[in-house]
Amino acid sequence: LKIGIINITGYAGAELARILSRHPEAQITTITGRSEAGKKLGQVFPHLSHLDMTIAPELGDSVDVVFSALPQVASAEAIVPLVRAGIPVVDISADFRLKSAEEYQQWYQTPHPAPDLLENSTYGLTELYRSNIKHSRLIANPGCYPTGAILALAPVIKEGLIEPDIVIDAKSGVSGAGRGLSLTTHFSEVNENVFAYAVEGHRHLPEITQELARLNVDFRPSPLFQPHLIPMTRGILTSCYATFVSGVFKDPKMAAKQVRDLYETFYNKERFVKVVSIPPQTKQTWGNNHCLIYPMVEPRTGRLVIISALDNLVKGAAGQAIQNMNLMLGLPDHLGLEGVAIYP
Amino acid sequence: LKIGIINITGYAGAELARILSRHPEAQITTITGRSEAGKKLGQVFPHLSHLDMTIAPELGDSVDVVFSALPQVASAEAIVPLVRAGIPVVDISADFRLKSAEEYQQWYQTPHPAPDLLENSTYGLTELYRSNIKHSRLIANPGCYPTGAILALAPVIKEGLIEPDIVIDAKSGVSGAGRGLSLTTHFSEVNENVFAYAVEGHRHLPEITQELARLNVDFRPSPLFQPHLIPMTRGILTSCYATFVSGVFKDPKMAAKQVRDLYETFYNKERFVKVVSIPPQTKQTWGNNHCLIYPMVEPRTGRLVIISALDNLVKGAAGQAIQNMNLMLGLPDHLGLEGVAIYP
Amino acid sequence: LKIGIINITGYAGAELARILSRHPEAQITTITGRSEAGKKLGQVFPHLSHLDMTIAPELGDSVDVVFSALPQVASAEAIVPLVRAGIPVVDISADFRLKSAEEYQQWYQTPHPAPDLLENSTYGLTELYRSNIKHSRLIANPGCYPTGAILALAPVIKEGLIEPDIVIDAKSGVSGAGRGLSLTTHFSEVNENVFAYAVEGHRHLPEITQELARLNVDFRPSPLFQPHLIPMTRGILTSCYATFVSGVFKDPKMAAKQVRDLYETFYNKERFVKVVSIPPQTKQTWGNNHCLIYPMVEPRTGRLVIISALDNLVKGAAGQAIQNMNLMLGLPDHLGLEGVAIYP
Amino acid sequence: LKIGIINITGYAGAELARILSRHPEAQITTITGRSEAGKKLGQVFPHLSHLDMTIAPELGDSVDVVFSALPQVASAEAIVPLVRAGIPVVDISADFRLKSAEEYQQWYQTPHPAPDLLENSTYGLTELYRSNIKHSRLIANPGCYPTGAILALAPVIKEGLIEPDIVIDAKSGVSGAGRGLSLTTHFSEVNENVFAYAVEGHRHLPEITQELARLNVDFRPSPLFQPHLIPMTRGILTSCYATFVSGVFKDPKMAAKQVRDLYETFYNKERFVKVVSIPPQTKQTWGNNHCLIYPMVEPRTGRLVIISALDNLVKGAAGQAIQNMNLMLGLPDHLGLEGVAIYP
């Protein structure tokens, strides 16, 4: 399989290259990067010098599948011709995640660059949409926060167990903000510090809301999503708080067990989504494609707490993108993704 | 003022010594430490070697006020004789925070060591109980998490604006776990990691519940409190989520402004509690006695979000203890506590 | 004393403001900042909002002393008129540190902006040049690395004990690189990482060489200075390695004791430079004006190792600048600088 | 290949398991751990739960090769019977590194547990002793610091280019201190801190000295080795400083090029030791078996500086151990070790 990566020079792009360079069926054959074209990949990312490739200004010919790690808008512009030419594409940007062009315009303050393709795109939360992904040619790879939040909440929403007023409190490492420079990712500002950001509304909120709504036609989610930045490089921990619909458990004492059973059954066959029995740590997913989920019923209030952990650059970006590529191309979805988390 | 510090060898004890060593009216005259008795203070804490003191096995005579930085149970045992002898005591342990000896036993799995003194103790959340503190001889200094949570929630609870099912999601630096060794405070385990802990119920929960209930006789709080450990040394960020009681705002559009006005008025005269207009960062309180509070109405759901930031060892422990000492002894409560946060 | 701060918007400027805001004799009356003029200081640095000042485009009139925290070249341009007008100035930039305009041009790749003033400037390593500083109107405040290296090496060089081929291996926190954005100060690049930089020659090298040479007319230092960046915000640890001149110790067994005695005598009366008996930790100087020095004779090789620790923004920048201001204005040099390190 | 791991419960043991679990020829069949016997491996290390193994009190029968990750003394006791029974063993402890039982006793303050086996053991610095390793049954796996220092210095020492008075200044992450608890690995003590330790002599010093001496019969090394602890989990950066023997370069201007050529030739065929052209960062080896080496001639002093970077738990422990196992068993030495560093 000949792979093209558009914009390899960001963290998601570099992570695609890291994982794909050990994928048994894939070969990266062409890579682009806006400002670094002409450089050797190893000059930009010394840890990837074993690939011995040069960053090109444009994708070369004859690729079997393309990943785009460009920011939104630029991504759509780059991949639309590929999609129209029938090349399978996994778009890591936000361009094809929201199904409504109006909502896209509202959140990204620009008209959608290719609204006619919205229908053709598939939201790539692999564990929930595996069969659609297999038949799609354009995958909208989920955001890092939505991946952690939706996987955490899907089982109880599908079953209609919780009320719509969910609280999603997420704590993210700094690499989620990318490789672009800003004062909020400047070491001395972030180290020994924690703060909430995007209090007026994070762009991942409409994505979360849209996807939670798709899970159950009778459910109109009203999530309150608050992200926080913490002083580490990789990882997102998402703590979700919800109230059970009154009467869904005949015996409230059995709620905890029933919820756990539900989660274990729901993710029973999944290799990358693990229902764990002690609260997960992001370090347990450092560098691999796992999402660890811990559901519990808080004993005093009887409310639901679900905590999920993942690596924002792997299951939250490049890893899930490769998982989706595997499915699109008829491969087992875990191919090339079996790395063990690096701990400590 | 002659000051005694019991158990100076933990982080709260060392922080008491740091701040008091620059207090214009206080002089530390006697210090104890269980395992380090006989050593110079500067051997244990080189940054305190300017105090040129020796750690004693027992408190010396004739102190005007005593701080106990012992763990619970040991603390009560050490200070009961002092309290009975009429010496003003600020207890940084949890021993006199819970008003119910039964609840104490349930959470600390041991009978309360001095239940008869519970009535005489005053909960030392300075901004809320200033007049009681002035007339007390035994201050139960609040826990670090309760300080951040209660200051954040007090205005809306006093006004009866919110429903009881509050979510309190807190993120703490590691120094809150003290100087005692454990795998969860081992550098390699905590660095590049975040996780929820005490999911079965943290000992600060009953303290929070008790104190929120005291603020309003008509309010039966049912807080869900979930602490998280993050890879930094100092600081607690607390994100509180609540639903407004239906109908409390005639015009929902005005809710945001009314809430902000309420907070600004409530803490108007406070030197250490600041209502801020952008989300606070724990680094903005690094090393000082401030608690920064940011109240907002989430625009899409209309729910209340309040975020507070403090340094767990200062406003969350030693600083507030000194603030309380100042009040007990008739001094202005800011004396010795005017250090500026160290940033970055 | 009315104080002006030019370019308060960097880390050294902010640190000047933090310390001076508690200085008993100083009042900051005018502050400037290039890109942030017109903003309230508290908007840029919330931890300084208690100063309630506005950043001006230009210094106001009638200041008694001025600090410049501008980068080189811009700093000289800003302060030359002040110096010519007789206003005492402490320049935190590198503009007046090197005595040779040629060397300045070689290292900074621009002609020196005011070579005629080089003679009038005083190198502000307080403990070594206290009497000169008292009579100067233009202080070239030392660089952070030179402060740690020169204080560590001065006693043995003055005594003529070591050979010229010194190795200075320094480890610095990231704040030394300032508040300006770059990939090497981007959180995700620096965290969990350590590397040597400026291997072709750091700009602090000629400053170190010049100052070591001044200490002893018979000494022609040939230091090899290698800085490293480590994942923390504040602090520099400097490890110096040197060989003793043959025969300087009659009894080699006594070398260790004689060296220690020399250091203790040399810094005997200093409040901020401490000769310590266990290896110092940068955390022991976090936020204060101390430089801790540990001299030792390595037992197997008989060579000299000296390790120093300081906070690069305090003794390595703003603190030493204020110490120098105190001296220039006839005040005790410790005024306003007695803060205790914040540990942990 | 059936693999046994003795004492899997430390960081080196866990890292062996992580890497071996993806090794194409190896299968871990028996694992022991002193205090955790009876537990599932996934309880101790959730990131290894995919192995689905139980920690045994003793090694099971019929293993093809054994790794010992016990501390010294205990390790020798455990492996001596295995070695005598002819089972290939890689010992990660220090027990068989020093060739002299006297020196062992001096540094470890206990008689050597099996001096008769010292002759049979092979020092496992793979790139230097590949042929010996192939024919050995007992590998003394090198310490983390010696690996970085010896690989950095070997080419110039073999060629007789440098004087004996080398300075080795190393900066290590905290995981090198293991999983055992101590105040110097307590998060709040290490974070935002850097310090030199083992100033009286680190146990890796005699190992470094012994191995540098073996490289050249005419060389009597007198290294000054000073380790430092820095606030990160993994990685060692070693900066080596040396003086060239007078006259070794006919044209001093060519020294830099000749040194670089020497290193590139020396490590030309090595897959894991890379001579790099910009100063290496430890993050570029995070989680993989590389050692990056940067040799340079400091332009002003003409002295040699060599900087090496590696992951202390991989090339500095478990990775090199597996590399050695591969050789002992006739496999290509890179098998199972091709993971790409995880960056950022």
Side-chain angles (χ1 to χ4, degrees):
Chain A
L1 289 172
K2 294 187 216 156
I3 311 277
I5 301 175
I6 304 178
N7 200 37
I8 200 168
T9 57
Y11 289 145
E15 194 69 350
L16 283 168
R18 174 181 74 87
I19 301 171
L20 288 168
S21 74
R22 294 293 176 241
H23 190 289
E25 300 287 337
Q27 193 191 356
I28 307 171
T29 57
T30 173
I31 56 178
T32 77
R34 293 180 292 180
S35 54
E36 311 278 18
K39 285 195 187 165
K40 298 288 290 184
L41 180 58
Q43 284 179 270
V44 180
F45 293 118
H47 72 294
L48 298 177
S49 51
H50 65 285
L51 285 172
D52 195 22
M53 296 187 76
T54 300
I55 300 171
E58 301 290 335
L59 271 195
D61 289 340
S62 69
V63 287
D64 295 311
V65 62
V66 169
F67 293 92
S68 170
L70 282 166
Q72 69 272 358
V73 185
S75 190
E77 285 166 7
I79 65 182
V80 163
L82 301 169
V83 175
R84 300 214 197 277
I87 296 171
V89 173
V90 181
D91 181 15
I92 294 183
S93 89
D95 275 340
F96 296 95
R97 295 179 194 157
L98 298 183
K99 288 299 177 190
S100 152
E102 290 71 37
E103 198 161 31
Y104 181 93
Q105 179 155 7
Q106 177 190 330
W107 284 91
Y108 293 94
Q109 261 123 46
T110 184
H112 193 282
D116 61 308
L117 285 179
L118 286 173
E119 261 184 59
N120 296 82
S121 72
T122 303
Y123 190 72
L125 196 50
T126 324
E127 286 76 10
L128 298 182
Y129 301 112
R130 195 172 265 118
S131 60
N132 307 31
I133 292 163
K134 282 181 184 170
H135 301 97
S136 180
R137 298 290 92 179
L138 173 53
I139 303 295
N141 210 59
C144 51
Y145 286 123
T147 298
I150 298 165
L151 289 173
L153 289 162
V156 281
I157 289 179
K158 278 216 165 176
E159 291 298 311
L161 299 185
I162 62 172
E163 297 286 354
D165 58 338
I166 303 158
V167 169
I168 301 168
D169 182 300
K171 299 94 180 148
S172 177
V174 182
S175 66
R179 200 160 169 253
L181 306 180
S182 74
L183 203 55
T184 50
T185 55
H186 193 58
F187 183 88
S188 302
E189 302 283 326
V190 187
N191 189 41
E192 274 292 299
N193 202 1
V194 53
F195 50 89
Y197 71 102
V199 292
E200 298 301 319
H202 189 283
R203 285 170 170 179
H204 286 174
L205 171 60
E207 182 181 340
I208 293 170
T209 308
Q210 165 187 294
E211 292 300 317
L212 295 185
R214 280 176 74 190
L215 294 168
N216 187 325
V217 291
D218 299 322
F219 188 65
R220 299 209 169 281
S222 173
L224 196 165
F225 166 56
Q226 183 56 59
H228 300 77
L229 204 64
I230 63 174
M232 62 184 208
T233 302
R234 285 174 180 243
I236 292 178
L237 193 84
T238 307
S239 301
C240 304
Y241 304 94
T243 305
F244 289 113
V245 171
S246 178
V248 292
F249 298 111
K250 285 182 194 158
D251 178 356
K253 285 177 192 163
M254 297 303 290
K257 185 181 178 330
Q258 281 180 256
V259 166
R260 174 156 286 277
D261 287 349
L262 166 65
Y263 274 78
E264 288 180 348
T265 304
F266 195 92
Y267 290 119
N268 183 34
K269 294 184 182 156
E270 293 300 338
R271 187 185 285 255
F272 295 127
V273 180
K274 305 276 187 190
V275 179
V276 293
S277 56
I278 54 168
Q281 309 192 358
T282 55
K283 212 188 217 349
Q284 292 159 354
T285 66
W286 222 92
N288 84 355
N289 200 47
H290 287 191
C291 178
L292 309 179
I293 299 182
Y294 177 79
M296 64 170 268
V297 178
E298 202 276 332
R300 284 163 200 85
T301 62
R303 279 183 272 160
L304 175 68
V305 180
I306 316 158
I307 299 164
S308 71
L310 52 75
D311 182 325
N312 55 297
L313 293 177
V314 190
K315 184 61 179 172
Q320 186 154 252
I322 292 164
Q323 200 181 351
N324 288 327
M325 175 203 80
N326 285 336
L327 284 178
M328 286 170 93
L329 302 178
L331 302 168
D333 66 343
H334 64 270
L335 219 61
L337 289 166
E338 297 181 287
V340 182
I342 299 195
Y343 189 106
Chain B
L1 288 173
K2 294 187 216 155
I3 312 276
I5 300 175
I6 304 177
N7 200 36
I8 200 167
T9 56
Y11 289 145
E15 194 68 351
L16 283 167
R18 175 180 75 85
I19 301 171
L20 288 168
S21 75
R22 293 294 177 241
H23 190 289
E25 301 286 337
Q27 195 191 354
I28 307 171
T29 55
T30 173
I31 56 178
T32 77
R34 292 180 293 180
S35 53
E36 310 279 18
K39 285 195 188 166
K40 298 288 289 184
L41 181 57
Q43 285 179 270
V44 180
F45 294 118
H47 72 295
L48 297 177
S49 50
H50 64 285
L51 284 172
D52 196 22
M53 297 186 75
T54 300
I55 300 171
E58 299 290 335
L59 271 195
D61 289 341
S62 70
V63 287
D64 296 310
V65 61
V66 168
F67 294 90
S68 169
L70 282 166
Q72 68 272 358
V73 184
S75 189
E77 284 165 8
I79 66 183
V80 162
L82 301 168
V83 174
R84 300 212 197 279
I87 296 172
V89 172
V90 182
D91 181 14
I92 294 184
S93 89
D95 275 339
F96 295 95
R97 294 179 193 158
L98 297 182
K99 288 299 177 190
S100 152
E102 289 72 36
E103 198 161 30
Y104 181 93
Q105 178 154 9
Q106 176 190 330
W107 285 90
Y108 293 94
Q109 261 122 45
T110 183
H112 192 282
D116 61 309
L117 285 179
L118 286 173
E119 260 183 59
N120 295 80
S121 72
T122 303
Y123 190 72
L125 197 49
T126 325
E127 286 75 12
L128 298 181
Y129 301 112
R130 196 172 264 117
S131 60
N132 306 29
I133 292 164
K134 282 181 185 171
H135 301 98
S136 180
R137 299 290 92 180
L138 173 53
I139 303 295
N141 210 59
C144 50
Y145 286 123
T147 297
I150 299 166
L151 289 173
L153 289 162
V156 282
I157 289 178
K158 278 216 165 178
E159 291 297 312
L161 299 184
I162 61 172
E163 297 286 354
D165 58 339
I166 304 158
V167 169
I168 300 168
D169 182 299
K171 299 94 180 150
S172 177
V174 182
S175 67
R179 200 160 170 254
L181 305 180
S182 75
L183 203 55
T184 51
T185 55
H186 194 57
F187 183 87
S188 302
E189 301 283 325
V190 186
N191 189 41
E192 273 292 299
N193 202 2
V194 53
F195 51 89
Y197 71 102
V199 293
E200 298 301 320
H202 189 283
R203 285 171 171 179
H204 285 174
L205 171 61
E207 182 182 340
I208 292 170
T209 308
Q210 165 187 292
E211 292 300 317
L212 295 184
R214 279 177 73 190
L215 294 167
N216 186 325
V217 291
D218 299 323
F219 189 66
R220 299 209 169 282
S222 173
L224 195 164
F225 166 57
Q226 183 56 58
H228 300 76
L229 204 64
I230 64 175
M232 61 184 208
T233 303
R234 285 173 180 243
I236 292 178
L237 193 83
T238 307
S239 301
C240 304
Y241 304 93
T243 305
F244 289 113
V245 171
S246 178
V248 292
F249 298 110
K250 286 182 193 158
D251 179 356
K253 288 178 189 162
M254 297 302 291
K257 185 181 177 332
Q258 281 180 257
V259 166
R260 174 156 286 276
D261 287 349
L262 167 65
Y263 274 78
E264 288 180 347
T265 304
F266 195 92
Y267 290 120
N268 184 35
K269 296 185 180 153
E270 292 301 338
R271 186 184 284 254
F272 295 126
V273 181
K274 305 276 187 190
V275 180
V276 292
S277 55
I278 54 167
Q281 308 192 359
T282 54
K283 213 190 214 352
Q284 293 160 353
T285 66
W286 222 91
N288 84 356
N289 200 47
H290 287 191
C291 178
L292 308 178
I293 299 181
Y294 177 79
M296 64 171 267
V297 178
E298 203 275 332
R300 285 164 198 83
T301 61
R303 278 182 270 160
L304 176 67
V305 180
I306 316 158
I307 299 164
S308 71
L310 52 74
D311 182 325
N312 55 297
L313 292 177
V314 191
K315 185 60 179 171
Q320 187 155 250
I322 292 165
Q323 200 182 353
N324 288 327
M325 174 202 81
N326 284 337
L327 284 176
M328 286 170 92
L329 301 179
L331 301 169
D333 66 344
H334 64 269
L335 219 62
L337 290 166
E338 296 181 287
V340 183
I342 299 195
Y343 188 104
Chain C
L1 288 173
K2 293 187 217 157
I3 312 276
I5 301 174
I6 304 178
N7 200 37
I8 199 167
T9 56
Y11 289 146
E15 194 69 350
L16 283 168
R18 174 180 75 87
I19 301 171
L20 288 169
S21 74
R22 294 292 176 242
H23 190 290
E25 300 288 336
Q27 193 191 357
I28 306 170
T29 57
T30 173
I31 56 178
T32 77
R34 292 180 294 181
S35 54
E36 310 278 18
K39 283 195 188 166
K40 299 287 290 184
L41 180 58
Q43 283 178 271
V44 180
F45 294 118
H47 72 295
L48 297 176
S49 50
H50 65 286
L51 285 172
D52 195 21
M53 296 187 76
T54 300
I55 300 171
E58 300 289 337
L59 271 195
D61 290 339
S62 70
V63 287
D64 296 311
V65 61
V66 169
F67 293 91
S68 170
L70 283 166
Q72 69 272 359
V73 185
S75 189
E77 286 165 6
I79 65 182
V80 163
L82 301 168
V83 174
R84 299 212 198 279
I87 297 171
V89 172
V90 182
D91 180 15
I92 294 183
S93 90
D95 275 340
F96 295 95
R97 295 179 194 157
L98 298 182
K99 287 299 177 189
S100 152
E102 290 71 37
E103 199 161 31
Y104 181 93
Q105 179 155 7
Q106 177 190 329
W107 284 91
Y108 293 95
Q109 262 123 45
T110 185
H112 193 282
D116 62 308
L117 285 179
L118 285 172
E119 261 186 59
N120 296 82
S121 73
T122 303
Y123 190 72
L125 196 50
T126 324
E127 286 75 11
L128 299 182
Y129 301 112
R130 195 172 265 118
S131 61
N132 307 29
I133 292 163
K134 281 181 184 169
H135 301 98
S136 180
R137 299 290 91 179
L138 173 54
I139 303 295
N141 210 59
C144 50
Y145 286 123
T147 298
I150 299 165
L151 290 173
L153 290 162
V156 281
I157 289 179
K158 278 216 164 177
E159 291 296 312
L161 299 185
I162 62 171
E163 297 287 354
D165 59 338
I166 304 158
V167 169
I168 301 168
D169 182 301
K171 299 94 180 148
S172 176
V174 182
S175 66
R179 200 161 169 253
L181 305 180
S182 75
L183 203 55
T184 51
T185 55
H186 193 58
F187 183 88
S188 302
E189 301 282 326
V190 186
N191 189 42
E192 273 292 299
N193 202 2
V194 54
F195 50 89
Y197 71 102
V199 292
E200 298 300 319
H202 190 282
R203 286 170 170 179
H204 285 175
L205 171 61
E207 182 182 339
I208 292 171
T209 308
Q210 165 187 293
E211 292 300 318
L212 295 185
R214 281 177 73 190
L215 294 168
N216 186 325
V217 291
D218 299 322
F219 188 66
R220 298 209 171 281
S222 173
L224 195 164
F225 166 56
Q226 183 55 60
H228 300 76
L229 203 64
I230 62 175
M232 62 183 208
T233 302
R234 286 173 180 243
I236 291 178
L237 193 84
T238 307
S239 301
C240 304
Y241 305 94
T243 306
F244 289 112
V245 171
S246 178
V248 293
F249 299 110
K250 287 183 193 158
D251 179 356
K253 287 178 190 161
M254 296 303 290
K257 185 181 177 331
Q258 281 179 256
V259 167
R260 173 156 288 276
D261 288 348
L262 167 64
Y263 274 79
E264 288 180 348
T265 305
F266 196 92
Y267 290 119
N268 183 34
K269 294 185 181 153
E270 294 300 338
R271 188 186 284 256
F272 295 127
V273 181
K274 306 276 188 191
V275 179
V276 293
S277 55
I278 54 167
Q281 308 193 358
T282 55
K283 212 188 214 351
Q284 292 159 354
T285 66
W286 223 92
N288 85 354
N289 200 48
H290 286 191
C291 178
L292 309 178
I293 299 182
Y294 177 80
M296 64 170 268
V297 178
E298 202 276 331
R300 285 165 198 84
T301 62
R303 280 183 270 159
L304 175 67
V305 180
I306 316 157
I307 298 164
S308 71
L310 53 74
D311 182 325
N312 55 297
L313 293 177
V314 190
K315 184 62 179 171
Q320 186 154 249
I322 292 165
Q323 201 181 352
N324 288 327
M325 175 202 81
N326 284 337
L327 284 177
M328 286 170 92
L329 302 179
L331 302 168
D333 67 341
H334 65 269
L335 219 61
L337 289 166
E338 297 180 287
V340 182
I342 299 195
Y343 189 103
Chain D
L1 289 172
K2 294 187 217 156
I3 312 275
I5 300 174
I6 305 178
N7 200 36
I8 199 167
T9 56
Y11 289 145
E15 195 69 349
L16 283 168
R18 174 180 76 87
I19 301 171
L20 288 168
S21 75
R22 293 293 177 243
H23 190 289
E25 300 288 337
Q27 194 191 356
I28 306 171
T29 56
T30 172
I31 56 177
T32 76
R34 292 181 292 180
S35 53
E36 311 278 18
K39 284 194 189 168
K40 298 288 289 184
L41 180 58
Q43 284 178 270
V44 180
F45 293 118
H47 71 296
L48 298 176
S49 51
H50 64 286
L51 284 171
D52 195 22
M53 296 186 75
T54 299
I55 301 171
E58 300 290 336
L59 273 195
D61 290 341
S62 70
V63 287
D64 296 309
V65 62
V66 168
F67 294 90
S68 169
L70 281 166
Q72 68 271 359
V73 184
S75 188
E77 285 165 8
I79 66 183
V80 163
L82 302 168
V83 174
R84 299 211 198 280
I87 297 171
V89 172
V90 182
D91 180 15
I92 294 183
S93 90
D95 275 340
F96 295 95
R97 295 179 193 158
L98 298 182
K99 288 298 177 190
S100 152
E102 290 71 37
E103 198 160 31
Y104 180 94
Q105 178 154 9
Q106 176 189 331
W107 285 91
Y108 293 95
Q109 262 122 46
T110 183
H112 192 283
D116 61 308
L117 285 179
L118 286 172
E119 260 183 60
N120 296 80
S121 71
T122 303
Y123 189 71
L125 197 50
T126 325
E127 286 76 12
L128 298 181
Y129 301 112
R130 195 173 266 117
S131 61
N132 308 27
I133 292 163
K134 282 181 185 172
H135 301 97
S136 180
R137 300 289 92 180
L138 173 53
I139 303 295
N141 210 60
C144 50
Y145 286 123
T147 298
I150 299 164
L151 289 173
L153 290 161
V156 282
I157 288 178
K158 279 216 163 176
E159 291 297 311
L161 299 185
I162 62 171
E163 298 285 355
D165 58 337
I166 304 158
V167 169
I168 301 168
D169 182 300
K171 299 92 180 150
S172 176
V174 182
S175 66
R179 199 160 170 254
L181 304 181
S182 76
L183 203 54
T184 52
T185 55
H186 193 58
F187 183 87
S188 302
E189 302 283 325
V190 186
N191 189 41
E192 272 292 299
N193 202 2
V194 54
F195 51 89
Y197 71 102
V199 292
E200 297 302 320
H202 189 283
R203 286 171 170 179
H204 286 174
L205 171 61
E207 182 181 340
I208 292 170
T209 308
Q210 165 187 292
E211 292 300 317
L212 295 184
R214 281 177 72 190
L215 294 167
N216 186 326
V217 291
D218 299 323
F219 189 66
R220 297 210 171 281
S222 173
L224 196 165
F225 166 56
Q226 183 55 59
H228 300 77
L229 203 64
I230 63 175
M232 61 184 208
T233 301
R234 286 173 180 243
I236 291 178
L237 193 85
T238 307
S239 301
C240 304
Y241 305 93
T243 305
F244 289 112
V245 171
S246 179
V248 293
F249 299 110
K250 288 182 191 159
D251 179 355
K253 287 178 191 162
M254 296 303 290
K257 186 182 175 333
Q258 282 181 255
V259 167
R260 174 156 287 276
D261 287 349
L262 167 64
Y263 274 78
E264 288 180 348
T265 304
F266 195 93
Y267 290 120
N268 183 34
K269 294 185 180 154
E270 293 301 338
R271 187 185 283 255
F272 295 127
V273 181
K274 305 275 188 191
V275 180
V276 293
S277 55
I278 54 168
Q281 308 192 359
T282 54
K283 213 188 213 355
Q284 293 160 354
T285 66
W286 224 91
N288 85 354
N289 199 46
H290 287 191
C291 178
L292 308 178
I293 299 183
Y294 177 80
M296 64 170 269
V297 179
E298 202 276 330
R300 285 162 198 85
T301 62
R303 279 182 270 160
L304 175 67
V305 180
I306 316 157
I307 299 164
S308 71
L310 53 72
D311 183 325
N312 55 296
L313 293 177
V314 191
K315 185 61 179 170
Q320 186 155 249
I322 292 164
Q323 200 181 353
N324 288 326
M325 174 202 81
N326 284 337
L327 284 177
M328 286 170 91
L329 302 179
L331 302 168
D333 66 344
H334 63 269
L335 220 61
L337 290 166
E338 297 181 287
V340 182
I342 300 196
Y343 188 105

